Amino acid sequence: MRLTVNGQSHDVEFDVRTSLLDLLRETIGLTGTKKGCDHGQCGACTILVNGRRINSCLTLAAMHEGDEITTIEGLGSPDGLSPMQEAFFEHDGYQCGFCTPGQIVSATAMLEEAGKGWPSHVSASLEGEMRLTPEEISERMSGNLCRCSAYPNINDAIAEVAGGKS
Amino acid sequence: MREFQFARAADPAGACSAAAGAGRFIAGGTNLLDLMKLEIERPEKLVDISRLPLDEVEETPEGGLRIGALVPNADLAAHAAVRMRYPVLSRALLAGASGQLRNKASTGGNLLQRTRCYYFYDTAMPCNKRDPGSGCGAIGGFNRIHAILGASDKCIATHPSDMAVAMRALDAQVETLKGDGSTRSIAISELYRLPGDTPEIENVLEQGELITHVVLPPPPPGRHAYRKVRDRASYAFALVSVAAIVAVEDGRITSARLAFGGLAHMPWRDPAVEDLLVGQAPGEEAFRRAADKLLENARGYGGNDFKIPLARRTLMATLHDIAGGRA
């Protein structure tokens, strides 16, 4: 089967039970995407499929032929950090770093969702103008857990990128 | 995870024939794969329906919406017509899961997701739903999240969906396609079953029957609210939730639709509760009588006793919010 990851196509063979997460890490060798809970609860495995953030642990690799898959490695590189990577660095938005790739990929896509005007559970109005307040950022990022609890700095990093965008 | 055959369906009819016998449909997979990893679900064959053309939201001639079964929860919550005309549905969807899961989870799959009962998930424990006849670990065990209405001595699990609660209040119809090519439309009030003696049978769908659409009738009159009470502020299942649509004219309630999550094996709705409210002036007394009616047959199992007063307070607070009548 052919998979497109970070713009590169890969011809891969795998057991049909393989999650997209395991395929990325074990077969393709992109280990930036982390396996935390493996049950969709922690968000460490967040990647983009056709631009949307999903939990790569809860989807079968076999279901993604032809999809555009983006991992943390596709967002930026040590020599060319993405704005969100740069902001996490600037704001010290991590402690142990294990959840960080998932946080950054999730936050990047979350800003796209907010840019489309998608409301959240904490939005006062479903139709009114939406501002990415700290409360909005926390709610929209609730699928990414940080066991070190670096949330204040994670939120600051995201808020900086969000502010730059508006 | 157990081995399984994998087939990708080219069209809905092909999906139904591929699922004949022992096939299971997979769309978003966010619940099914989780359960397969734990070997709670052990399908012999998966039929991938995720690329079927069932991902549109269309207007119906009657003024309602016809939602494709594969519309992701995120897209449905953000859909302009849903936000404007069915805010209770947007609110319920946004109260559920996380951004990542809502991007993947489908409308049809959300309706059919399995309970989050701890004993259903723990394969070392008895569970009549997972292993019929083995007993219920929740009765006499840790049952904080369990049902207070419509349960049986075989099972006290709850249905976990928020979306389905809003759809129950909206009188949604579930459209399906069967392997013989026939279609049917099932009222959401008829879709789910109470546990009774067969908690492993959760709905009336037949083997190989595919949900293709969910149809919402024209929006009912009144204000909408979805109120969810849970153990943390986000990304948690409901202990109690209420989907409410209530209209008030000239100081009297003219229509009321109330559906509840977290209380039963299915999204719960009791017409007698709604009938008690219609014609009444909004206020403490009318709301208390409605709550009494809702909970007259409620039963706690120890750990979930708190849900009885919590359901009462959640209902009354929600009614005060959207119908007024606060002293």
Side-chain angles (χ1 to χ4, degrees), chain A residues 16-17 38-41 46 52-53 55 57-58 63 65 106 113 117 121 123-124 126 139 142-144, chain B residues 1-3 6 27 30 33-34 37 48 51 75 78 83 91 94 98 100-101 103-104 230 234-235:
Chain A
V16 72
R17 291 171 287 185
D38 209 27
H39 287 281
Q41 297 173 6
T46 304
R52 298 163 68 104
R53 56 176 170 159
N55 301 110
C57 73
L58 282 188
M63 295 174 75
E65 190 165 20
S106 185
E113 294 167 4
H121 174 63
S123 304
L126 290 174
E139 164 59 27
S142 71
N144 290 86
Chain B
M1 193 185 291
R2 301 285 176 96
E3 286 188 60
F6 184 79
T30 52
L33 288 171
D34 185 26
K37 289 181 184 192
D48 177 5
R51 309 215 177 195
D75 299 60
R83 280 199 255 171
R91 287 292 182 190
L94 293 171
S98 66
Q100 290 97 314
L101 290 168
N103 273 335
K104 202 85 181 72
R230 45 186 160 175
S234 184
Y235 198 15

Side-chain angles (χ1 to χ4, degrees), chain B residues 76-253:
Chain B
L76 188 58
H79 193 279
V82 178
R83 280 199 255 171
M84 192 178 307
R85 286 152 49 199
Y86 302 93
V88 68
L89 179 55
S90 274
R91 287 292 182 190
L93 285 158
L94 293 171
S98 66
Q100 290 97 314
L101 290 168
R102 290 193 295 270
N103 273 335
K104 202 85 181 72
S106 67
T107 302
N110 187 320
L111 286 174
L112 300 185
Q113 63 179 304
R114 312 289 310 271
T115 185
R116 269 34 174 220
C117 171
Y118 328 120
Y119 298 90
F120 176 68
Y121 263 79
D122 185 345
T123 52
M125 300 299 289
C127 170
N128 286 321
K129 186 183 281 297
R130 171 169 38 72
D131 183 11
S134 62
C136 174
I139 297 172
F142 289 95
N143 48 39
R144 173 175 171 74
I145 64 172
H146 289 79
I148 57 169
L149 290 169
S152 75
D153 61 359
K154 301 288 190 295
C155 179
I156 60 171
T158 57
H159 194 270
S161 173
D162 293 294
M163 182 195 81
V165 176
M167 286 182 169
R168 181 89 207 260
L170 290 166
D171 285 325
Q173 293 276 329
V174 177
E175 295 185 345
T176 69
L177 175 66
K178 293 195 216 178
D180 63 3
S182 65
T183 60
R184 60 172 171 160
S185 180
I186 306 165
I188 194 165
S189 58
E190 304 295 320
L191 176 68
Y192 297 107
R193 294 167 44 118
L194 288 175
D197 290 331
T198 54
E200 72 278 16
I201 305 172
E202 296 174 350
N203 56 62
V204 301
L205 300 182
E206 297 168 14
Q207 172 63 35
E209 185 171 7
L210 176 70
I211 297 179
T212 57
H213 299 87
V214 177
V215 177
L216 302 182
R223 293 182 65 189
H224 291 212
Y226 188 76
R227 187 165 182 145
K228 178 174 179 178
V229 183
R230 45 186 160 175
D231 278 329
R232 57 185 185 197
S234 184
Y235 198 15
F237 291 95
L239 294 167
V240 173
S241 70
V242 184
I245 308 166
V246 179
V248 180
E249 280 173 45
D250 301 326
R252 298 276 161 187
I253 295 170

